[in-house]
Structures are given as C-alpha cells and as structure tokens.
Amino acid sequence: MSTMTGTTLTQHIQRKQLTHPDATGQFSALMTQIGVAGKLIQAQVRRAGLIEIWGATGDTNIQGESVQKLDRIAQDAFVETLKNSGAVAAMASEEENSVIEVPAAQAGDYVVAFDPLDGSSNIDANVSIGTIFAVYKRQDSSEVLRKDTLRPGNEQVAAGYIIYGSSTVLVYTDGSSVDGFTLDPSCGEFFLTRPNIRMPEKTKVLSINEGNQAYWPSWVSPFIETVKGRNDKDKRRVTARHIGSLVADFHRNLLYGGLFLYPTDERSPKGKLRVLYECNPLAFIAEAAGGAASSGEGRILDIEPTDLHQRSGLIIGPKADVELAQRLALESAE
Ligand code: FDP
C-alpha cells in the first residue's frame, strides 16, 4: 500500500503557531492531542459491532476488558488524552452532567466543550458519526469557574470535528482558515487534504428531517417550498440530503453548499441540538468558511448559555439562506 506524503496535521499546527509570536505552544499541544484522541476513537469505531459480539456473553471482551458502549469509549479516550496534554483546565461533555476539572498540576490554559460521538443512534447502521469540539481560553488562571464553560460561542478560539466515515477526516478552524485533514491508515498520520475550505454561497443541498413537518412552526414549510421552488424544468439547482447525523450532514454541506435546519418545533420548543457541543462549534466553522448560523432568533455565536446542556434551534449553511430563514422565523414570531 502506498503512503501519502504532504503536510501533516502536526506540521500545519506548528506552521500556524509561527504566525503567533506570543504563542506558548499550549494551543499547538492541544490541537495535536485532539488529533491523537481522534485516532484512538476511530480505531474503536472501526470495531463497532465486534465490540457488541464480545459483550454478548458477559461484560468482558476477549482481552478481558469490560465492554463499554462506543459513546462511552469515545468520551473516555477524549478526556484522558486531553487531561494529559497539559493544555486543558476543564472540559464539558455532552455525556456528563457536570464540568470535568483537570487536576491543577496537569492543568493548562484552555477549556474544551465536546460531543464525543455525535450521531451515535446511527452506529448500528454504519452511518458516519463524529466527535465535535469547541475550544476556549480559560478566564482565570487560579481556579476553574462555571463561567469558564458557560461562554457564548463568539469567544471560541478554535472549533472542529473528526468524522468517522469512508475515511477519517479532521476539520478545524482557529477562526482564520478552515482546514481539512484525512487520516492515512497505513501510517497513522493526518494529512492536509482540504486547505482553506470555503462554503459555497448558494444552497445546493437542503437538509432537514421532514418527518417533523407536523411539529414545525408556520414559517418552515413555506421556506422549504421557496428553496425547492428554485428548481425548474430546465435546471435542478437544489437537491435534498438528510443523514440524521449532524456532523455528517454538516460536513457534506460545508463542502457542497448545503443548508441544514433543525428548527425549534412543538416536540422540542427549545430546540433539539445542544448549544455548547453542537451548535457553537459548527457555527464557528461555518462563519470562518463564509457561511452563517442562526437559532431562528439570532446569531448562534451570540447565545449566552445558562445551562451546560442548553439546546437551540439551528439553521446553518450559506449566509443568504440562513438570513432569509431567520427573517421568516422572526416575522412569524411577531
Ligand atoms: P443522535 O441523536 O443520533 O446523536 O443531536 C444528536 C443527533 O443525533 C444529531 O446528530 C442529528 O442531526 C439529530 O440528533 C437527529 O435528530 P432527529 O432524529 O430528531 O432528526
């Protein structure tokens, strides 16, 4: 098997560090370790199904280790790797009720919010799933405060995701460029495969769970019809794709120009998706790539969260259509 050559994730991070003369190296250490966590998780994801077989006769696998669900495995891999990075003071996870504090001796300058395995209800069907993360600078160097994790998304210093699909891909932004890396399984390295990703300006893909139509607020159906109405006999301008795994839907939309909507509705009046672990990091990436993200009431990145597991409506994709949807949502709320 031939091995790729090119810029590795570590080289890319180090080159970016050189453009920040005051950098201490902690951010680079953190990003490198997030790459390591991604490799550990992908190794387990590739064994999905087998883990359950090992677990079928008891609670241990053939190595005698206790069998855990994949989302728990991902959670532990991410937490342990970041704890030992020396760059993180605290973490907030979709899988945990409270903030995970790193002991002072190991603590660094950053706070990370993450969803260890987004889309996990799709694991059994072999659908792409992923890890989403948001990075903040801690506010106080002496103690970790609740306000260190309850931060608006506009204070993120970086965000990204690792998607476990037909290949393992890591996409991250430090707010300047959005860059994509693909894992070469033959040598275990992430290589830069998509430098400076820009989200296409026009919506080519429409992505929404239409099964929820009965619960939608009044603005959603006419908006969807408006977007579909851009097709005519001569030209199909828009198509529909909805995986139901947010990280996979977002990744496709980022590359091809797609609009994803999970509005607040009668079943989820406060929204379904989590502000800290899903909406904020993806909104930060979308904006850095030229797109936009709204809750339906305003910019996602300006939400001031009051709860670690707060939810929100999410409209994310090409700027013009996010703005159009938000305008209709606001008008219908008047
Ligand atoms: P999952 O429950 O499988 O983890 O927020 C999690 C999420 O998936 C998203 O990845 C996905 O877009 C959404 O929920 C799907 O929700 P619906 O089944 O309600 O459409």
Side-chain angles (χ1 to χ4, degrees):
M1 193 193 292
S2 67
T3 301
M4 291 174 64
T5 54
T7 306
T8 66
L9 174 63
T10 312
Q11 288 166 344
H12 177 84
I13 293 165
Q14 282 168 349
R15 278 179 204 162
K16 283 222 144 190
Q17 189 187 322
L18 295 176
T19 64
H20 295 273
D22 302 334
T24 60
Q26 273 200 34
F27 178 74
S28 299
L30 170 60
M31 280 312 307
T32 307
Q33 290 307 307
I34 286 177
V36 171
K39 285 186 223 174
L40 294 173
I41 297 169
Q42 73 87 32
Q44 298 297 327
V45 167
R46 303 290 173 218
R47 300 197 297 176
L50 297 169
I51 295 172
E52 276 79 58
I53 292 171
W54 295 332
T57 51
D59 233 3
T60 54
N61 65 20
I62 44 178
Q63 279 92 28
E65 299 155 349
S66 65
V67 173
Q68 290 176 298
K69 292 189 71 177
L70 257 183
D71 37 16
R72 201 64 223 177
I73 292 173
Q75 155 84 8
D76 291 350
F78 207 82
V79 169
E80 284 312 309
T81 310
L82 265 58
K83 248 187 196 170
N84 293 321
S85 69
V88 176
M91 289 169 262
S93 164
E94 210 229 25
E95 291 281 315
E96 293 288 331
N97 287 333
S98 44
V99 172
I100 306 158
E101 279 196 46
V102 176
Q106 289 166 281
D109 290 342
Y110 293 92
V111 170
V112 181
F114 67 99
D115 181 352
L117 216 51
D118 178 68
S120 52
S121 65
N122 293 296
I123 292 171
D124 290 349
N126 258 26
V127 168
S128 299
I129 49 182
T131 303
I132 310 176
F133 58 90
V135 180
Y136 299 83
K137 197 98 193 260
R138 74 188 286 188
Q139 294 187 317
D140 187 291
S141 56
S142 53
E143 60 175 322
V144 176
L145 305 168
R146 199 173 149 79
K147 70 172 192 303
D148 278 312
T149 43
L150 285 178
R151 314 262 292 271
N154 57 35
E155 291 183 9
Q156 288 170 102
V157 294
Y161 55 83
I162 306 142
I163 181 165
Y164 315 108
S166 45
S167 56
T168 299
V169 167
L170 185 152
V171 172
Y172 92 94
T173 181
D174 57 3
S176 55
S177 61
V178 179
D179 300 296
F181 302 80
T182 304
L183 183 68
D184 180 346
S186 66
C187 66
E189 269 294 350
F190 279 107
F191 287 94
L192 181 62
T193 43
R194 289 186 185 273
N196 198 18
I197 299 169
R198 303 296 300 165
M199 183 178 260
E201 285 176 15
K202 284 195 176 156
T203 298
K204 296 192 193 80
V205 181
L206 185 58
S207 195
I208 185 167
N209 183 350
E210 292 211 42
N212 287 337
Q213 188 165 21
Y215 320 114
W216 286 345
S218 61
W219 66 271
V220 181
S221 291
F223 173 74
I224 297 300
E225 290 313 310
T226 301
V227 177
K228 288 182 186 171
R230 293 173 191 160
N231 288 339
D232 56 36
K233 266 202 239 126
D234 301 324
K235 193 165 166 64
R236 188 178 81 170
R237 297 181 178 83
V238 180
T239 190
R241 295 280 187 277
H242 183 260
I243 298 167
S245 171
L246 175 63
V247 65
D249 278 309
F250 178 80
H251 185 61
R252 181 207 52 239
N253 291 351
L254 177 67
L255 300 181
Y256 300 166
L259 181 70
F260 175 92
L261 300 97
Y262 206 125
T264 54
D265 62 24
E266 272 174 31
R267 282 178 75 233
S268 319
K270 294 186 171 164
K272 154 97 199 237
L273 302 170
R274 316 272 181 156
V275 175
L276 263 65
Y277 319 112
E278 297 173 309
C279 303
N280 274 348
L282 298 186
F284 195 64
I285 298 166
E287 287 199 8
S294 166
S295 63
E297 291 176 5
R299 185 180 177 224
I300 286 286
L301 295 181
D302 291 339
I303 295 173
E304 297 271 354
T306 52
D307 187 310
L308 280 180
H309 296 289
Q310 191 164 321
R311 297 170 191 266
S312 170
L314 179 65
I315 304 158
I316 188 165
K319 210 170 177 182
D321 277 334
V322 171
E323 284 172 2
L324 174 62
Q326 180 180 283
R327 199 176 73 233
L328 296 176
L330 289 172
E331 280 167 12
S332 82
E334 277 170 5

